[in-house]
């Protein structure tokens, strides 16, 4: 990536997707950025639709806007098994977070500065997106989803293969369950409103 | 069993005393005092609820047993198998509660907690339904206790092996971090030397 002019943070060891994204958040906080957009390297997230996320964030004063692959009548999930699993997780998360979530594992995120501060300290490892959504709601941050047209995957494989699905279900289920009873971290909660969701 | 074991002696001794009034009064008073102390400490947040609830339940059981010694007599009259199952259930509940608290307070990551939770749940289920261990007890012709020990030992070996794998992984990460650190320091010193030469 460096030959094309992009700055790359080279981690000396493999921290997984959670650790890598958290490194990005820490770098953004240090450099003083206001907002950060996360785009995965497999080509699925369309940079052309970032303005949609920015519009929604400005309009509703949110801390996080998620680009969802559902809602524009397209099916990008490879197997029916994963499709059903993601729909179940989306329903469960919608109930916990009390807002409509259709794509819990989407990585196409636009994040505000206060939320960047929180994530640079506490970000889950191993399939972080669903757990991060539940955590940020608990700390009082506001989020919304925007339907976005995803592109087909250019390179790489999904991180959830056959047996990974069971580990994913177990890990996310346990994490969501425990996060319901975890103490709220007052230092990183959104000022003005703590959601005891 | 033909010869009475020391446990039988102890339970017989306790059951004899349990019929007499004075120990019952003492036990009831101790139980009520413990219950009151638990409630007050929990109210003033001096102890956490995860400690207070089991203590409170134990105190309530003590009071209950003092008021109605039927429970104690029933405990003495149970079979060896039932006592073992009760002990296994209590121990596995303890493991599950401690593991869950550790995850909740972020002392333990979920991927390491998984093995402990599986072990705890499996032993709990096997103590509730001993028929599940029929494969080991019938095929290998060993008593129930040995089957439980086999189960727990297997999982302990798996947990230990998982730890060894994690340790090797962390060791490799540590080497890479140390090497990167050394390289960065060398580059930093070179840059500082160049700066010193450029701006005296």
């Amino acid at each position: 990536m460096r030959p094309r002019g992009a700055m790359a943070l080279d981690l000396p060891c493999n921290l997984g997707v959670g650790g890598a994204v958290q490194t990005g958040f820490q770098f953004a906080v240090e450099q003083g950025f206001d907002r950060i957009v996360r785009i995965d390297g497999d080509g699925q997230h369309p940079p052309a639709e970032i303005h949609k996320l920015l519009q929604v964030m400005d309009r509703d004063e949110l801390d996080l806007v998620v680009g969802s692959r559902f809602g524009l009548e397209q099916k990008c999930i490879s197997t029916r098994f994963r499709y059903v699993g993601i729909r179940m997780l989306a329903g469960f998360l919608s109930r916990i977070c009390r807002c409509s979530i259709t794509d819990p594992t989407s990585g196409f995120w636009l994040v505000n500065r206060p939320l960047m501060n929180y994530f640079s300290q506490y970000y889950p490892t191993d399939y972080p997106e669903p757990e991060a959504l539940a955590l940020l709601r608990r700390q009082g941050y506001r989020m919304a989803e925007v339907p976005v047209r995803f592109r087909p995957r250019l390179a790489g494989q999904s991180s959830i293969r056959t047996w990974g699905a069971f580990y994913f279900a177990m890990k996310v289920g346990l994490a969501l369950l425990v996060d319901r009873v975890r103490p709220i971290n007052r230092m990183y909660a959104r000022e003005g409103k703590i959601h005891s969701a | 069993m033909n010869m009475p074991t020391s446990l039988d002696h102890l339970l017989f001794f306790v059951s004899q005393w349990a019929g007499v009034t004075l120990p019952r009064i003492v036990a009831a008073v101790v139980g009520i005092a413990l219950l009151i102390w638990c409630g007050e400490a929990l109210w003033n947040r001096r102890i956490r609820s995860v400690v207070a609830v089991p203590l409170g339940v134990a105190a309530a059981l003590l009071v209950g047993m003092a008021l109605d010694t039927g429970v104690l007599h029933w405990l003495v009259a149970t079979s060896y198998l039932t006592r073992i199952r009760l002990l296994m259930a209590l121990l596995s509940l303890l493991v599950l509660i401690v593991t869950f608290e550790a995850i909740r307070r972020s002392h333990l990551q979920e991927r390491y907690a998984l093995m402990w939770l599986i072990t705890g749940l499996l032993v709990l289920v096997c103590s509730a339904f001993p028929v599940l261990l029929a494969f080991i007890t019938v095929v290998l012709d060993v008593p129930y206790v040995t089957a439980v020990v086999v189960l727990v030992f297997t999982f302990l070996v798996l947990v230990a092996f998982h730890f060894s794998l994690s340790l090797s992984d962390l060791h490799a990460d540590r080497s890479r971090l140390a090497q990167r650190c050394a390289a960065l320091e060398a580059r930093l010193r070179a840059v500082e030397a160049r700066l010193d030469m450029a701006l005296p």
Side-chain angles (χ1 to χ4, degrees):
Chain A
M1 268 173 60
R2 282 212 187 96
R4 297 190 188 253
M7 178 185 306
L9 292 172
D10 191 7
L11 284 170
C13 10
N14 183 359
L15 300 181
V17 59
V21 169
Q22 193 180 23
T23 312
F25 285 135
Q26 285 170 358
F27 182 74
V29 166
E30 276 174 29
Q31 300 288 313
F33 293 138
D34 277 328
R35 295 180 183 174
I36 185 170
V37 171
R38 175 188 151 184
I39 294 190
D40 282 351
D42 56 3
Q44 279 191 335
H45 300 161
E49 316 245 353
I50 295 180
H51 70 276
K52 281 195 202 168
L53 304 182
L54 284 168
Q55 274 171 7
V56 173
M57 179 175 270
D58 288 330
R59 189 184 68 199
D60 295 333
E61 284 183 14
L62 305 165
D63 298 297
L64 167 72
V65 182
V66 181
S68 161
R69 75 192 85 198
F70 302 119
L72 280 182
E73 296 314 319
Q74 25 159 7
K75 194 157 153 292
C76 296
I77 312 285
S78 45
T79 70
R80 181 147 299 268
F81 189 57
R82 282 189 61 199
Y83 188 69
V84 166
I86 287 193
R87 287 297 283 262
M88 279 173 41
L89 182 60
F92 183 55
L93 264 180
S94 302
R95 196 104 352 120
I96 290 185
C97 301
R98 297 185 200 180
C99 60
S100 155
I101 293 182
T102 57
D103 195 354
T105 59
S106 159
F108 194 25
W109 281 16
L110 173 68
V111 178
N112 208 356
R113 183 160 182 95
L115 189 54
M116 240 194 281
N117 276 328
Y118 175 58
F119 278 154
S120 61
Q121 295 300 312
Y122 299 100
Y123 198 67
T125 56
D126 292 345
Y127 315 117
E129 289 88 17
E131 204 188 331
L133 289 175
L135 273 176
L136 73 95
R137 284 296 290 172
R138 200 166 159 78
Q139 298 282 130
Y141 293 98
R142 305 174 49 189
M143 62 158 285
E145 273 198 346
V146 172
V148 154
R149 188 168 301 276
F150 273 34
R151 305 188 295 200
R153 176 174 275 135
L154 284 178
Q157 284 176 296
S158 163
S159 61
I160 306 178
R161 283 171 280 263
T162 26
W163 292 111
F166 292 105
Y167 178 66
F168 171 80
M170 185 287 311
K171 206 262 171 186
V172 172
L174 177 65
L176 286 175
L177 189 68
V178 176
D179 285 340
R180 304 294 293 151
V181 289
R182 245 190 249 266
I184 297 182
N185 190 334
R186 302 278 153 176
M187 195 161 56
Y188 285 104
R190 188 180 203 263
E191 292 124 27
K193 182 169 158 198
I194 303 243
H195 219 294
S196 60
Chain B
M1 295 217 200
N2 290 332
M3 300 188 44
T5 61
S6 56
L7 182 63
D8 288 335
H9 272 139
L10 177 68
L11 286 171
F12 178 73
F13 180 74
V14 169
S15 74
Q16 291 299 98
W17 272 78
V20 181
T21 320
L22 183 60
R24 285 175 63 182
I25 294 181
V26 168
V29 166
V30 165
I32 292 179
L34 193 59
L35 209 54
I36 293 177
W37 178 85
C38 261
E40 190 263 334
L42 186 64
W43 189 256
N44 290 333
R45 292 168 194 264
R46 278 191 287 117
I47 54 178
R48 305 187 223 128
S49 51
V50 73
V51 168
V53 165
L55 261 183
V57 167
L61 278 177
L62 193 61
V63 172
M65 282 203 297
L67 293 176
D68 173 18
T69 54
V71 173
L72 212 53
H73 288 297
W74 168 82
L75 201 63
V76 169
T78 55
S79 66
Y80 185 64
L81 179 67
T82 313
R83 291 202 292 268
I84 291 292
R85 284 170 58 188
L86 213 59
L87 182 68
M88 283 293 119
L90 281 174
L91 284 178
S92 58
L93 266 177
L94 189 68
V95 163
L96 283 176
I97 290 175
V98 168
T99 309
F100 195 77
E101 260 305 290
I103 300 177
R104 197 181 82 92
R105 301 200 170 262
S106 306
H107 296 312
L108 182 61
Q109 285 193 357
E110 286 92 355
R111 79 180 88 166
Y112 300 116
L114 182 60
M115 284 307 291
W116 290 99
L117 288 178
I118 289 182
T119 314
L121 276 173
L122 222 62
V123 172
L124 191 63
V125 165
C126 287
S127 73
F129 304 104
V131 68
L132 290 173
L133 289 179
F135 178 72
I136 306 178
T137 45
V138 168
V139 168
L140 299 176
D141 197 21
V142 291
Y144 176 76
V145 184
T146 314
V148 172
V149 169
V150 162
L151 190 70
V152 173
F153 182 70
T154 309
F155 274 98
L156 280 179
V157 163
L158 285 175
V159 162
F161 190 67
H162 186 222
F163 284 163
S164 305
L165 290 177
S166 294
L167 272 176
S168 310
D169 201 25
L170 287 172
H171 197 89
D173 279 354
R174 192 190 73 142
S175 309
R176 236 169 296 177
L177 276 172
Q179 288 156 354
R180 176 73 80 83
C181 198
L184 280 172
E185 277 194 2
R187 280 168 58 188
L188 188 60
R189 257 181 259 127
V191 168
E192 280 178 345
R194 289 225 306 261
L195 264 178
D196 283 340
M197 279 200 312
L199 322 160

